[in-house]
Amino acid sequence: MSEEERYRVNLLFQEVVRNYEYYCNLNGESHNFEELPLVDKEVLKTCYPLFRSKNHDETQPYIESFTSGTTGIPFKCIRTKREQIQLSLMISRKHAKWGLPVKHRSIVLSNRVSIYPDQYNCYIEQINRINPHRIQGRFSDLLELSKRVNHNFTCPALVCIQNWGESIQPNHIEQIERAFQAPLYNYYGIEEIYGIAYSDKDRMLVIDQESVYVEIVNPDTHKVVREGELGEIVVTSFFMKSVPYIRYRTGDLGAVTYDRKNNRKILHLLAGRKNSILFKNRTINASIFRYLDRFLYELSVGVDLRYQLVQNSYTSFLLLLTVTGNIQTNELEKRLGPMFDSWLGEKVEVKVQQVSELIKNSYNGKTEPFICQINREDY
């Protein structure tokens, strides 16, 4: 933590222990920012009145929005008009760095576009008609749209393609950029506080340190890990005061490194979430996703391949692959079986199936890299 960050988070610490009952009730248990407890959606929902400022005005109108529902029932977020403006301004500044004009035209792909494939052609017609500066959508939908663009496609005003809400699979970046003749930028954020990190021209996800403070913690011990070490992403917003998001657990996995040459922090996202894989009576190290990503990335060099891992039971996994041409699923199973046994520390069954489409989340339309079919209420 830099001196400037320490100064800002300590100011925030002093503010929340004075003005928010949840933190006032800690009774001296926390003496500085690092000792504040981690919170998540469940804590906020259960103790919601305690997270309202003592000075909040009930008559003031609030803007409501909802999370995507990836982890279950969508969570209601509230913010004041001033907070909404602040957050929107921060996003606009990042857009300006991408080269987008202040008044830019955008086409945003529906989260449900894959359900009605004919809509892809409708979007191509819109692009030709509107000549947008930006095309935004889920990575899987942007990839599908790029496959339907003909070789003489032109969109003179197009500045960038923006992914949001899904993990980018590196072997498909070039395909999207070649089809649209524009760079693909990534964005990581959550509905509760908007932007956390934005990709720059060298495709690194740079943390917006003016808006947020990001920590990486061990999901089991809640201790902050060392630089570059994998863990759960925990974020603190400097702007949100109607409901404070202090040391807020996102459930996403990643690591943070410090680019000392350019004085910036880089966020490295990992596919999957902290509790994605379930085993009875123990937790699973999330690094399995890093190993699997690496294995499949090497396998997919020069091939149009995407994957999705489905856990059907505590010891049974199904790897779904969309790939051009045919693959030897039996041979792949023989290679993956011992790898999974080693990664998980237990004998498991791994099956591989070639499919035309991956499974989309019924709540939000995302193509998640991992799906768990085990009933979590029974876990």
Side-chain angles (χ1 to χ4, degrees):
M1 184 187 301
S2 68
E3 289 302 316
E4 181 181 353
E5 286 174 324
R6 188 173 299 281
Y7 174 75
R8 295 185 73 190
V9 297
N10 281 334
L11 279 182
L12 192 58
F13 167 80
Q14 294 169 24
E15 179 181 352
V16 297
V17 296
R18 284 196 311 266
N19 297 327
Y20 298 88
E21 193 173 349
Y22 179 83
Y23 295 103
C24 295
N25 291 344
L26 295 176
N27 295 323
E29 295 176 13
S30 300
H31 300 93
N32 55 52
F33 175 84
E34 291 93 335
E35 294 179 359
L36 290 174
L38 304 184
V39 299
D40 57 18
K41 290 184 179 74
E42 288 304 315
V43 173
L44 286 176
K45 285 190 285 189
T46 303
C47 307
Y48 182 76
L50 304 182
F51 283 94
R52 301 306 307 277
S53 170
K54 294 178 180 179
N55 303 318
H56 80 274
D57 184 358
E58 289 288 358
T59 64
Q60 182 179 2
Y62 287 92
I63 298 169
E64 294 184 355
S65 63
F66 292 85
T67 60
S68 64
T70 300
T71 57
I73 299 173
F75 174 68
K76 183 173 78 171
C77 313
I78 66 166
R79 58 182 64 90
T80 64
K81 288 185 177 180
R82 180 178 180 180
E83 289 169 338
Q84 180 78 19
I85 292 171
Q86 285 179 311
L87 296 173
S88 298
L89 282 174
M90 294 307 300
I91 292 176
S92 296
R93 290 173 187 170
K94 301 304 177 185
H95 286 169
K97 289 187 176 181
W98 290 349
L100 286 170
V102 175
K103 295 183 178 180
H104 58 269
R105 298 181 299 277
S106 290
I107 287 182
V108 181
L109 305 187
S110 165
N111 295 343
R112 309 290 179 180
V113 61
S114 61
I115 300 176
Y116 309 102
D118 288 345
Q119 286 191 12
Y120 289 113
N121 294 328
C122 294
Y123 279 117
I124 291 175
E125 291 176 5
Q126 283 187 41
I127 293 169
N128 292 330
R129 185 175 67 255
I130 297 173
N131 189 25
H133 297 95
R134 177 182 61 165
I135 302 171
Q136 176 180 323
R138 309 278 198 217
F139 180 74
S140 57
D141 294 328
L142 291 171
L143 180 61
E144 184 60 34
L145 186 67
S146 72
K147 295 176 181 178
R148 297 168 185 249
V149 172
N150 60 43
H151 68 279
N152 59 354
F153 169 84
T154 59
C155 184
L158 190 60
V159 172
C160 66
I161 310 297
Q162 182 186 337
N163 169 63
W164 65 290
E166 282 187 5
S167 299
I168 284 181
Q169 298 192 13
N171 54 312
H172 289 109
I173 292 176
E174 184 180 347
Q175 177 179 335
I176 293 175
E177 292 185 335
R178 184 173 60 249
F180 293 109
Q181 302 170 39
L184 173 67
Y185 289 134
N186 201 7
Y187 160 86
Y188 173 67
I190 56 177
E191 181 62 33
E192 295 91 317
I193 61 174
Y194 283 20
I196 295 173
Y198 305 79
S199 66
D200 60 5
K201 292 183 179 180
D202 58 8
R203 294 177 177 160
M204 294 289 102
L205 266 178
V206 181
I207 294 173
D208 182 8
Q209 293 175 253
E210 187 176 347
S211 300
V212 298
Y213 175 64
V214 174
E215 301 170 273
I216 304 296
V217 305
N218 183 304
D220 301 318
T221 66
H222 297 180
K223 300 294 184 182
V224 177
V225 302
R226 293 174 295 181
E227 179 185 345
E229 191 173 331
L230 184 69
E232 182 182 357
I233 300 170
V234 171
V235 63
T236 294
S237 170
F238 291 121
F239 289 145
M240 290 298 299
K241 301 297 173 66
S242 50
V243 172
Y245 293 95
I246 312 294
R247 308 200 75 199
Y248 184 65
R249 304 180 68 169
T250 65
D252 295 323
L253 300 170
V256 170
T257 56
Y258 182 48
D259 177 4
R260 289 166 176 79
K261 180 180 179 180
N262 297 297
N263 191 30
R264 60 183 188 172
K265 288 186 174 181
I266 308 299
L267 180 63
H268 307 268
L269 287 176
L270 190 65
R273 294 175 63 83
K274 67 180 178 66
N275 59 346
S276 290
I277 296 180
L278 296 183
F279 271 177
K280 283 188 175 180
N281 304 320
R282 69 186 181 99
T283 57
I284 300 301
N285 192 316
S287 60
I288 180 177
F289 294 106
R290 180 174 55 192
Y291 302 143
L292 185 62
D293 264 347
R294 183 62 184 172
F295 174 80
L296 291 172
Y297 176 73
E298 293 174 353
L299 184 70
S300 66
V301 173
V303 178
D304 182 5
L305 179 148
R306 296 172 59 228
Y307 81 89
Q308 190 171 55
L309 184 63
V310 181
Q311 183 180 15
N312 292 315
S313 72
Y314 292 116
T315 57
S316 174
F317 294 84
L318 175 64
L319 181 65
L320 303 177
L321 298 176
T322 65
V323 58
T324 52
N326 293 318
I327 57 172
Q328 298 296 321
T329 57
N330 291 338
E331 290 300 318
L332 196 52
E333 288 171 358
K334 289 178 182 178
R335 295 175 63 186
L336 284 172
M339 291 181 182
F340 270 69
D341 295 346
S342 174
W343 296 338
L344 298 174
E346 186 166 331
K347 186 71 176 177
V348 298
E349 178 187 44
V350 181
K351 293 293 184 181
V352 179
Q353 182 180 344
Q354 190 171 351
V355 296
S356 59
E357 291 184 6
L358 300 180
I359 302 169
K360 285 192 175 279
N361 186 301
S362 59
Y363 282 108
N364 54 38
K366 292 183 184 179
T367 301
E368 305 286 355
F370 184 87
I371 297 174
C372 183
Q373 303 284 27
I374 299 172
N375 189 338
R376 292 177 183 268
E377 294 180 357
D378 298 334
Y379 177 61

